[in-house]
Every structure is written in C-alpha cells, then in structure tokens.
Amino acid sequence: MIAAALMMAVGAQAQEVNFTVNGVSKDNGSTVILINFQTRKMLTGKVENGKFSISGTAQKDAVLNVKSENLGWMTPFVNDGTPVTVNLNDSTLKGSAQNERLVRYDLDMHARYTLDTKKGLEKIFTDEVNTMIPAAFVDEYLEHFGMEKLQKILDTKPVWANHPNVKEALETYAEMMKKNAIIGKQFTDLEEPDADGQMHKLSEYVGKGKWVLVDFWASWCGPCRAEMPNVVKAYEKYHAKGFDIVGLSFDNKKEPWLKAITDLQMPWIHLSDLKGWRTVASGIYGVNSIPDNVLIDPQGKIVARGLRAEGLQSKLKEIFGE
C-alpha cells in the first residue's frame, strides 16, 4: 500500500517560484529563519525597527516555514507566488486565501486548541481537495488515521496528491514502520549529560520497575512544543501511579533547551548532548523526525512508539486505568 501511494506521489512540478516574506516582530535585533524542510535550506533576516523581510526562490507550492530564533513556533505557508506578511507576535499571516486558511487551521489545531486535532484534520482533507493545504498536514494525517485511510483519499486524485510533502511523508511513514520493529524488544542503553554536565545512563531510569516514556524533542521544534501540554497532562495524571518521563533533547544550544523546560513546565528528567540531529539518541533509536518517543515497560521492554495526542492518553489509561 505504501509503495502504491509513493508511485502516485511522484512527478510533482519542479518549477521555481519567487517568494517574499515581510513581517513584524517586537523582538528587535533577533534573527528570523525561513526553512524549506524538503531541500533543508534556510534563509534568514533581521528584525529592525519591528520589521523584517526575506526573499528567495523555492519550488512552486513548496511548504515553507517562518520562525523567530527565540520562538519554537513556526508559521507555514505554500509558495504559491503571492507575497505573505507574517506577524510573529501572534503567528498570524496575510497573503493568498489559501495561505490564510492554512495558518488558521494550523493555529486552531496546535496553538489555540480550539479544535479537536482529528476533527480538524478531517475538515482539512475533506474541504481542501482543490488546494495544496493538505500537503502541509499529511504527516499528521498519517499519524492519526494511518495509511489505509490516506490511500483512499489519494485514490480520488486530489490536486495535492503529487506534492513532494506527500512523497516524503509516505517515506517517513514507511521508515516509522521499520522503526516500530523494535517494539517488543529490550531498550538500548545510552549515556548523555544533564543540565549540569553530569553524565547519566538511560538504564538509571529505565527497567527499574516504572513505566517510562523516553521523549525525543527539541526547544526549536514547533510540533514538539505544541504536543508538550499533552505530555505534561499525562505526567501529572499518572506519575504517582508509576509513570515517568526521560526527555532526550535534539537541541544544540543549552540556553534555549533549559528555557523551554522552564517555560513548558516539564518537571521530569532531561538529558542532552547538545549535538542536534547528531545526538547519540538519534542513531541508536533511528529518530529522523521529532516529536517521537518510545514507551518502555517496568522490565525495560519497548511496548509502543510515537504516542501523541489522545494516543498517549489512551495507552496510559489502558495501563493505569482512570
């Protein structure tokens, strides 16, 4: 099924289109970053007198993301040739009708929590058949609904079916299926420093009689930050019953890592070698996208992976009850 979906997802246009991002921010002197995750390219601009501007070229309909260096949240937009204006103070955007709806969906599901995530995704994939908006959310759709349901949508040949994001998401999903082969196996130990530089092994916390969520995240990761209130809720509800968390950060700077721990009120164990994507955890557990996690039972066996949103709550309810 994944192979069939990948074949459908090839052949996207390679036309390059100019883009211009103007914006406002109260964070004078800070750097604004524009990220194209498909090409892994970044462009930067500086906030001066409350304003910034970034211009360049990218593939037509590429999903680009704008963020401040001091904030984890990213504002997405489709490179449809219409200039956009981004307000980094409230993460809103003005531009084409397509991009304005895209940002409203994103804020509703992740920042404002005004819509149930699954209901929000269903609305996007039902209402936006003739736009590129679903391409920005295909990873989450796969996560919440799985390959079979996505394939049914792809079979209807929506206009976004050949978007590079779709191909990448399908490849990532296939990789995740491979990674899930570790479920049922004993955890692999590793060693990383804490905030004070003291080295700790994962085995100090795992396999010691508690259920442990090993959480892969980073302060700069918008989806990680959006998911964190759900993780905090799980910790507060089940910690006294024998549930613990070890956060393994993919940060490469200490200050934003520690600030995020404080700001997001994450009272569990935190370790990081501050090597970004080259962190030891990435290689050992095959982490190529975050947020990600593994749930480990009291004896040290991995029982689940990639638990997010209601999936995390449901699994812990199954283990601990109400």
Side-chain angles (χ1 to χ4, degrees):
M1 186 177 290
I2 293 174
L6 280 168
M7 289 180 66
M8 180 174 288
V10 300
Q13 296 180 1
Q15 178 186 353
E16 293 285 309
V17 172
N18 294 328
F19 63 81
T20 300
V21 181
N22 295 309
V24 297
S25 171
K26 60 185 177 183
D27 198 3
N28 279 315
S30 66
T31 298
V32 178
I33 305 167
L34 184 141
I35 308 169
N36 184 333
F37 284 112
Q38 266 133 26
T39 63
R40 303 301 191 256
K41 290 182 179 179
M42 294 193 301
L43 294 173
T44 60
K46 211 76 170 176
V47 178
E48 297 178 355
N49 299 317
K51 297 179 180 180
F52 67 89
S53 183
I54 302 175
S55 300
T57 60
Q59 186 175 357
K60 184 180 185 302
D61 294 326
V63 178
L64 307 178
N65 297 269
V66 182
K67 71 179 293 293
S68 166
E69 65 176 341
N70 298 325
L71 296 173
W73 186 259
M74 292 183 287
T75 300
F77 69 94
V78 173
N79 187 30
D80 57 12
T82 301
V84 299
T85 300
V86 177
N87 185 335
L88 291 180
N89 300 320
D90 60 10
S91 301
T92 56
L93 175 148
K94 291 184 178 181
S96 66
Q98 172 179 240
N99 278 322
E100 289 183 6
R101 290 202 306 280
L102 166 57
V103 170
R104 283 199 297 271
Y105 285 127
D106 196 45
L107 288 171
D108 282 341
M109 287 194 299
H110 303 124
R112 297 173 182 155
Y113 292 96
T114 57
L115 284 177
D116 175 82
T117 300
K118 292 183 75 171
K119 289 181 180 177
L121 287 167
E122 285 184 319
K123 179 174 175 58
I124 291 168
F125 281 73
T126 299
D127 295 353
E128 300 293 345
V129 175
N130 295 316
T131 75
M132 290 295 169
I133 291 174
F137 298 97
V138 67
D139 284 297
E140 288 181 89
Y141 192 90
L142 273 170
E143 175 190 333
H144 286 278
F145 296 106
M147 185 64 237
E148 185 174 355
K149 194 165 182 178
L150 179 63
Q151 182 62 60
K152 288 180 180 178
I153 297 175
L154 290 173
D155 288 343
T156 68
K157 295 181 171 56
V159 299
W160 50 267
N162 291 335
H163 194 283
N165 266 29
V166 178
K167 181 175 183 290
E168 185 171 333
L170 291 168
E171 290 173 343
T172 300
Y173 187 80
E175 184 65 28
M176 183 185 73
M177 293 297 100
K178 291 180 184 178
K179 291 194 296 185
N180 280 347
I182 68 173
I183 293 174
K185 297 181 180 179
Q186 203 72 4
F187 82 99
T188 300
D189 206 3
L190 56 81
E191 190 174 30
E192 292 191 33
D194 62 18
D196 297 320
Q198 299 297 313
M199 299 299 295
H200 293 274
K201 290 186 176 181
L202 192 57
S203 54
E204 294 176 37
Y205 315 106
V206 174
K208 303 294 185 182
K210 289 187 176 184
W211 288 86
V212 179
L213 185 77
V214 178
D215 190 37
F216 308 111
W217 73 290
S219 68
W220 47 260
C221 167
C224 299
R225 297 180 75 104
E227 171 65 9
M228 208 54 72
N230 183 56
V231 182
V232 171
K233 177 183 175 182
Y235 182 84
E236 291 174 345
K237 186 171 183 178
Y238 297 109
H239 179 60
K241 295 183 178 182
F243 174 62
D244 219 333
I245 300 174
V246 177
L248 298 183
S249 168
F250 281 53
D251 277 278
N252 49 30
K253 293 183 179 180
K254 185 175 182 179
E255 185 176 341
W257 171 45
L258 298 184
K259 186 176 186 299
I261 293 170
T262 300
D263 291 349
L264 297 171
Q265 301 179 41
M266 303 155 64
W268 48 83
I269 300 150
H270 291 279
L271 305 175
S272 182
D273 52 17
L274 298 177
K275 293 181 179 179
W277 285 107
R278 295 189 300 276
T279 177
V280 63
S282 176
I284 289 177
Y285 284 94
V287 182
N288 52 24
S289 65
I290 53 176
D292 194 4
N293 56 53
V294 290
L295 181 64
I296 304 175
D297 76 7
Q299 290 73 46
K301 183 173 69 175
I302 297 170
V303 299
R305 181 162 196 161
L307 294 170
R308 292 174 63 185
E310 56 264 40
L312 175 60
Q313 301 295 335
S314 296
K315 186 65 177 179
L316 295 177
K317 181 179 177 181
E318 174 189 318
I319 294 167
F320 296 107
E322 291 288 353

